[in-house]
Amino acid sequence: MQESDIKANLSLSNDQKSAEFPVYKGTEGPDVIDIRKLYAQTGMFTFDPGFLSTASCQSKITFIDGGKGELRYRGYPIEQLAVKCDYLEICHLLMYGDLPTKEQKEKFDNRILRHNMVHEQMHFFVRGFRRDAHPMAIVTSLVSALSAFYGDSIDINNPEHREISAIRLIAKLPTLVAMAYKYSRGEPYMHPDNSLSYAGNFLRQMFATPCQDYEVNEVLERAMDRIFILHADHEQNASTSTVRLCGSSGTNPFAAIAAGVACLWGPAHGGANEACLDMLEQIQAQGGVEKVGEFMEKVKNKEAGVRLMGFGHRVYKNYDPRAKLMQETCKEVLQALGLENDPLFKLAMELERIALEDEYFVERKLYPNVDFYSGIVQRAIGIPKSLFTAIFALARTSGWIAQWNEMISDPDYKIGRPRQLYTGPTKRDVPDIAQR
Ligand code: CMC
């Protein structure tokens, strides 16, 4: 961090107290005011629920310019990464800071392949769940359980342990997500096939059975890989901040990532892809494109629980670049499968068209986000809605673990411990039970 010549001054209108704080410049994005000494100097805290104006850390991994609708991993624009790289190259980039050379890629891919099986005992662990359990419930538990199966790599102060845990997580997540799916269908688990790509292998683990192999379709494989790339990291979002906060206590990486998975499940975050497809299906069932106007009125009147899912973002106040790429992929997949007239895609396009012209959305700068089209792609591939968020978790694991590792490697890292504005009762005595 580079200190700026500008200082921030705080003066209070009700007394003489004032304080000066350093201002730091990043390489891009807004400057920050370092208020770490605010409490010591003034006896006051800052108040920022929802972190609307608070940078919780410094990071070199991902940059978003929300106003311009730009996303970069380690400086590289997502539009270039999505067409020039595969997901494992992105994992390398996030973890080590740069794209792999040809030799490094070969080595890294092989390392991932060598870790994609899970301990056989984990299969029994899954059996404890009801068959109708939500895959996110299963995946959250399985990721947490990894610490019980791979306890030989959880010394967080050992960089080699941190690296091997990262490799294990990235390698095993597709196997765990496919296991959750197979379990829900009552089908046997498929072991990974190391002759396939990361994305191709995942599709096979999902859709092959011991009696019928699955031929990986190139377009679907590319689409799956793009879904992984677009979801890989997104700087300090709710789940990543959860991973950092959980990890800041010194807990093991599997436990910290499991906390991230749990956070991702919510409909305002990773659960939005499932909620978005639910929404499209409901509108379709009620009459489709003709009912769009009626639905939009409900959204704008803020009827309880009605939002245009897959729209809006805390950071993007412009088109989410991931949504553009996802829309392209959506067209490619539907064409490859002969589903060009897919009614849900038409419905989504119509909703987008109306929203982008409507004052309510324009005024609030609400644009489609990554989840708006990802559900349609996944549904076309044959993935059930209930698995969408687990697939998001699979992809985001690379970002989470890179962010966790960055935090642990930072010599200045401290346990996260927000403060509060207390508004409860002041001190009072406990009355005897007869007087309450
Ligand atoms: N539909 C209708 N109105 C909306 C929407 C929406 N999807 N999103 C925001 N608004 C309105 C909101 O009612 C508020 O209006 P007003 O100013 O009149 O009170 C204004 O826009 C600002 O919204 P906010 O809720 O204060 O914004 P936020 O930054 O706290 O929330 C968000 C961001 C993503 C949670 C929200 O836009 C939302 O709920 N979107 C739908 C869920 C969704 O698609 N989530 C996926 C996010 S991208 C994937 C990921 O990173 O997980």
Side-chain angles (χ1 to χ4, degrees):
M1 274 185 308
Q2 192 198 334
E3 200 163 323
S4 145
D5 297 337
I6 305 164
K7 303 275 178 244
N9 287 297
L10 175 78
S11 55
L12 302 176
S13 56
N14 63 348
D15 65 19
Q16 273 80 48
K17 255 186 219 164
S18 72
E20 189 181 86
F21 303 100
V23 173
Y24 298 128
K25 283 192 164 309
T27 45
E28 293 195 79
D31 298 348
V32 298
I33 305 170
D34 178 354
I35 46 111
R36 279 176 290 185
K37 297 210 172 99
L38 176 74
Y39 180 54
Q41 289 182 22
T42 66
M44 288 194 302
F45 299 138
T46 54
F47 182 64
D48 186 17
F51 296 97
L52 294 174
S53 295
T54 299
S56 61
C57 62
Q58 56 168 311
S59 178
K60 294 183 167 59
I61 302 177
T62 293
F63 176 72
I64 302 174
D65 186 326
K68 290 190 190 148
E70 289 178 357
L71 166 64
R72 291 175 220 141
Y73 298 158
R74 304 272 189 192
Y76 297 115
I78 191 71
E79 292 81 0
Q80 293 180 29
L81 292 170
V83 296
K84 289 191 170 170
C85 302
D86 67 22
Y87 176 67
L88 287 185
E89 289 171 77
I90 303 298
C91 293
H92 188 285
L93 173 68
L94 295 172
M95 271 176 71
Y96 302 112
D98 224 333
L99 289 165
T101 60
K102 204 161 167 280
E103 292 72 36
Q104 285 169 332
K105 175 169 169 50
E106 218 163 277
K107 207 168 144 208
F108 184 71
D109 287 9
N110 273 329
R111 260 190 111 185
I112 297 285
L113 287 180
R114 274 194 285 115
H115 286 280
N116 57 14
M117 287 204 296
V118 294
H119 195 291
E120 203 59 16
Q121 196 67 20
M122 286 197 93
H123 296 165
F124 298 102
F125 183 72
V126 180
R127 280 197 202 160
F129 286 96
R130 286 168 53 133
R131 292 270 175 188
D132 61 356
H134 194 286
M136 280 300 275
I138 301 183
V139 172
T140 313
S141 312
L142 288 179
V143 172
S144 168
L146 288 173
S147 52
F149 289 93
Y150 303 97
D152 58 344
S153 66
I154 57 175
D155 175 2
I156 65 156
N157 298 313
N158 181 333
E160 275 173 30
H161 277 211
R162 296 206 298 270
E163 190 184 9
I164 187 73
S165 288
I167 299 277
R168 280 175 165 161
L169 276 158
I170 294 168
K172 293 183 198 306
L173 251 289
T175 304
L176 298 182
V177 172
M179 273 167 64
Y181 173 65
K182 288 297 196 188
Y183 185 72
S184 72
R185 294 182 60 86
E187 288 179 10
Y189 308 126
M190 295 301 294
H191 284 299
D193 173 349
N194 287 357
S195 67
L196 298 174
S197 71
Y198 187 86
N201 202 2
F202 174 64
L203 287 171
R204 186 182 161 276
Q205 283 188 279
M206 288 277 296
F207 299 121
T209 65
C211 32
Q212 180 136 31
D213 210 354
Y214 173 84
E215 206 178 310
V216 179
N217 171 312
E218 262 179 44
V219 177
L220 306 193
E221 182 182 15
R222 208 169 43 240
M224 206 67 242
D225 197 65
R226 182 170 279 194
I227 289 175
F228 295 159
I229 292 174
L230 299 184
H231 288 87
D233 196 46
H234 216 225
E235 52 117 314
Q236 309 312 318
N237 55 83
S239 56
T240 302
S241 302
T242 301
V243 168
R244 280 186 178 256
L245 189 58
C246 181
S248 77
S249 71
T251 192
N252 74 73
F254 302 114
I257 301 298
V261 181
C263 175
L264 188 76
W265 194 355
H269 194 6
N273 46 22
E274 186 179 343
C276 180
L277 201 69
D278 277 338
M279 173 192 79
L280 293 173
E281 285 176 350
Q282 269 167 28
I283 304 174
Q284 187 59 26
Q286 286 159 9
V289 173
E290 279 161 29
K291 290 287 168 181
V292 165
E294 212 174 283
F295 174 75
M296 285 302 216
E297 281 316 304
K298 286 187 193 162
V299 171
K300 293 192 284 180
N301 293 335
K302 300 194 182 197
E303 276 190 26
V306 188
R307 273 198 167 195
L308 181 56
M309 299 311 285
F311 252 74
H313 200 274
R314 171 64 61 78
V315 183
Y316 292 117
K317 300 301 163 201
N318 202 325
Y319 213 100
D320 177 343
R322 302 169 302 169
K324 273 193 200 133
L325 292 157
M326 195 56 82
Q327 196 197 54
E328 263 174 30
T329 298
C330 196
K331 284 184 188 152
E332 256 175 56
V333 166
L334 295 177
Q335 198 178 15
L337 297 174
L339 298 169
E340 293 92 337
N341 292 322
D342 180 62
L344 289 197
F345 184 58
K346 289 203 162 144
L347 183 59
M349 298 275 282
E350 182 60 6
L351 278 167
E352 178 184 334
R353 189 190 64 75
I354 294 181
L356 293 181
E357 288 171 0
D358 191 295
E359 209 185 303
Y360 174 95
F361 294 90
V362 174
E363 212 172 64
R364 291 172 177 76
K365 298 195 166 84
L366 301 170
Y367 292 85
N369 61 50
V370 67
D371 291 321
F372 198 61
Y373 290 104
S374 71
I376 301 174
V377 178
Q378 294 184 72
R379 176 173 157 275
I381 293 176
I383 297 167
K385 270 190 308 220
S386 60
L387 216 72
F388 293 175
T389 314
I391 289 174
F392 188 159
L394 179 175
R396 184 56 58 86
T397 294
S398 55
W400 286 331
I401 199 71
Q403 299 266 355
W404 171 82
N405 207 8
E406 182 179 66
M407 175 185 75
I408 303 287
S409 317
D410 182 346
D412 286 341
Y413 114 83
K414 280 188 182 333
I415 185 168
R417 201 333 182 162
R419 308 304 283 255
Q420 64 170 6
L421 173 66
Y422 177 69
T423 53
T426 52
K427 189 177 173 194
R428 52 186 175 158
D429 293 322
V430 177
D432 291 336
I433 194 158
Q435 269 82 58
R436 287 178 217 162

